[in-house]
Amino acid sequence: MYQNGSSSSYEINTETTPFRVLVVDDDRILRKMHKMMLTRLGIEVEVAVNGKEAVDLHLAGASFHLVLMDLQMPVMDGSQATKELRGMGVTSPIVGVTAACAEKAAFLASGLTDCVSKPLTISKIANYLPAPSPNNHANN
Amino acid sequence: MAAHVSLCAFLAVGPQQQLQPSLHIPPQAKQGKVVVVGVEPTYLGLGKTGLPVWMLVGFGAERLGADMNRLLALLFHQGVLDEQFLQLQQLQDETSPNFVSEVVTIFFHESEKLLTSLRSLLMMVEGDDDQDHEGGLEYGKIGVHLNQFMGSSSSIGAKRVRNVCLAFRAASDHHNRHGCLRALEQLEHEYCYLKNKLHEFFQLEQQKVLAAGVRYPMNHYNNNNNINS
C-alpha cells in the first residue's frame, strides 16, 4: 500500500484504493484550504489538528498515501510527530509544509520526505499525487 | 428558435421585494426551454432611463462585476494581494459558492485573536533585554504567533500583511521591543486596510449575486397576454 519515503515521483494504483491524504495543521484556514484543494482533485482527505492526532490516527489503524505535516503545532509539533510516525514504521511520504524556513533543515532531519514552504500549491506536491488517468476522478 | 435570456427583474422591484406570484412560469420554462421576449411592462415598468428594466438589471450585474475586478486590480497593484488570492478563488465553485468568503472570515477571526495576543505579549516584555529570560519566553511566543499569521496570510494571498509579519519576526528574533511595537502598529494598519477592502469586495459580490442570481425565465407574450411556450 505504501511507497517508500523517497522524494522521487511514483504512481499510486487508485483503481482499488482511493488516494488518501492526511492534512496535519493547527490552522483552521490552512486545513480548510488544503482539504478543498485536494478534494477538488478527487482525493480523500482527512485532517488532524496537531501531531498527536496524526499519530493517534495511525495507531488506530488509519493509513494514508501522503501526509502533509505542519511544523509548529500545539500538543505535538510536526518534527516530533514525524519521528514517531517513522518509528512506528510508517513509510508513506510525509511532506512538511511550513512558513518557518529557518527550521526547515531540522524538520527534514526528523524523517520528512520533503519540505515545502507555505502557501501550499498542488504544483509543490504534484510528485506525490496520483498521476491523472482517464478513470481518475481527479480529471473532473 | 428559442432564446435563453436571464433577467434580473429583481432589481426592478428592489432587493427586498419579490415578483408577484401571479407571474406564471409554464412547465417548459422550468425545464430551461424558454423563449424570452420581454417583461410584462405594466408590472415592472420602465426604468428612469426609459429603457425596459429587464435590460437595465443585466447591466447592473455587469457593472458590479467590473467594480469587483477594478478593486481586485487595485489591491494587486498596491501589493495588498498576490496571485495566491486567485488560487483561493479557483477553489470556489457551484458546490462551494461561498468558499472564499468563508476562508477570509476565518482569517479575520483568527487574525484578530493573534493581534490581541501579540499586543498582550509585547506589553509583558519589559525592554530590549536579551538576558531577560521571561522576555525571551514572550518573544518565543510572539514568534509562534507570527509564524501562524504568516502561514494564514500567505495562504489567502495577503502579501503586505505577510511581509510585515516577516519584519516583525526579525525584530522579535533580536528581542527588539521598539522594533516589535513599530511592526505591530504597521501590522494592525495593514490588516485593517485589507479587511476593509475585502469587506468592500464581498459586498460587491453579494450585490452582484442579488442582481444576477434571480433568474425568472419569461415567456413570450402574445397580444392577448396568453403565455406560450
Side-chain angles (χ1 to χ4, degrees):
Chain A
M1 177 180 292
Y2 298 108
Q3 301 295 318
N4 62 44
S6 68
S7 59
S8 59
S9 59
Y10 60 89
E11 291 188 2
I12 295 289
N13 179 5
T14 59
E15 290 181 359
T16 56
T17 309
F19 195 84
R20 283 164 50 82
V21 174
L22 175 64
V23 172
V24 190
D25 204 311
D26 63 324
D27 189 301
R28 279 171 66 198
I29 298 164
L30 297 176
R31 285 199 306 272
K32 188 176 176 78
M33 283 188 64
H34 296 169
K35 182 173 181 178
M36 177 62 87
M37 199 183 296
L38 294 165
T39 302
R40 289 279 300 274
L41 299 178
I43 292 170
E44 276 190 23
V45 181
E46 194 152 349
V47 297
V49 302
N50 57 53
K52 184 176 185 304
E53 270 196 22
V55 170
D56 288 344
L57 278 170
H58 283 83
L59 284 172
S63 60
F64 303 93
H65 295 92
L66 172 65
V67 178
L68 298 174
M69 183 76 75
D70 183 27
L71 174 56
Q72 291 188 343
M73 294 179 285
V75 184
M76 185 186 291
D77 68 14
S79 270
Q80 186 59 36
T82 302
K83 286 176 190 168
E84 298 219 1
L85 289 175
R86 293 302 189 209
M88 288 162 56
V90 171
T91 56
S92 48
I94 302 176
V95 176
V97 185
T98 178
C101 302
E103 297 161 354
K104 198 172 174 178
F107 198 8
L108 276 165
S110 65
L112 291 180
T113 310
D114 196 359
C115 190
V116 300
S117 55
K118 290 176 181 173
L120 180 70
T121 60
I122 291 300
S123 59
K124 289 181 181 176
I125 56 171
N127 280 348
Y128 305 101
L129 299 179
S133 66
N135 294 326
N136 195 326
H137 290 300
N139 283 338
N140 293 337
Chain B
M1 179 73 69
H4 295 267
V5 176
S6 295
L7 299 183
C8 303
F10 191 80
L11 274 186
V13 297
Q16 303 306 320
Q17 294 172 285
Q18 307 223 348
L19 290 175
Q20 289 185 2
S22 60
L23 188 67
H24 174 68
I25 301 176
Q28 291 84 347
K30 294 174 185 173
Q31 295 168 6
K33 301 174 185 176
V34 174
V35 175
V36 181
V37 174
V39 172
E40 164 47 328
T42 59
Y43 174 75
L44 291 174
L46 302 178
K48 291 181 181 177
T49 62
L51 291 172
V53 175
W54 66 267
M55 186 182 289
L56 288 176
V57 294
F59 289 168
E62 283 186 17
R63 179 181 56 77
L64 288 164
D67 288 344
M68 288 171 67
N69 289 337
R70 266 194 294 275
L71 177 56
L72 266 189
L74 173 67
L75 295 176
F76 275 92
H77 177 71
Q78 291 176 332
V80 174
L81 293 177
D82 63 21
E83 62 277 1
Q84 183 63 21
F85 188 78
L86 299 177
Q87 299 284 336
L88 176 62
Q89 285 186 306
Q90 286 177 8
L91 295 177
Q92 180 164 298
D93 59 15
E94 313 77 55
T95 61
S96 302
N98 302 314
F99 183 76
V100 177
S101 61
E102 286 171 8
V103 169
V104 171
T105 300
I106 298 172
F107 173 75
F108 289 156
H109 287 157
E110 297 297 315
S111 297
E112 279 158 30
K113 285 195 291 185
L114 285 169
L115 285 169
T116 301
S117 297
L118 285 167
R119 187 159 280 284
S120 298
L121 285 166
L122 271 179
M123 294 304 111
M124 291 165 65
V125 175
E126 288 295 320
D128 297 336
D129 185 357
D130 279 348
Q131 306 305 317
D132 177 7
H133 178 66
E134 288 184 1
L137 287 176
E138 266 67 49
Y139 282 119
K141 290 175 188 172
I142 288 171
V144 170
H145 287 328
L146 286 172
N147 280 340
Q148 189 174 351
F149 213 153
M150 280 170 54
S152 55
S153 58
S154 66
S155 294
I156 70 157
K159 184 178 172 187
R160 284 206 324 220
V161 166
R162 181 188 180 272
N163 288 344
V164 176
C165 287
L166 266 174
F168 195 159
R169 194 173 67 177
S172 168
D173 289 345
H174 288 92
H175 293 196
N176 178 350
R177 185 170 183 268
H178 291 297
C180 286
L181 283 169
R182 278 197 303 272
L184 176 60
E185 283 176 13
Q186 193 178 1
L187 184 57
E188 287 167 339
H189 170 78
E190 289 296 340
Y191 168 75
C192 283
Y193 183 76
L194 171 71
K195 184 175 179 182
N196 288 339
K197 288 301 173 188
L198 287 180
H199 268 317
E200 190 180 329
F201 178 79
F202 291 127
Q203 280 175 350
L204 287 171
E205 187 179 54
Q206 277 185 342
Q207 289 169 23
K208 186 184 170 198
V209 167
L210 287 171
V214 177
R215 296 167 184 258
Y216 285 85
M218 303 301 292
N219 295 292
H220 177 77
Y221 283 83
N222 61 20
N223 292 332
N224 297 321
N225 283 341
N226 288 330
I227 296 169
N228 297 321
S229 58

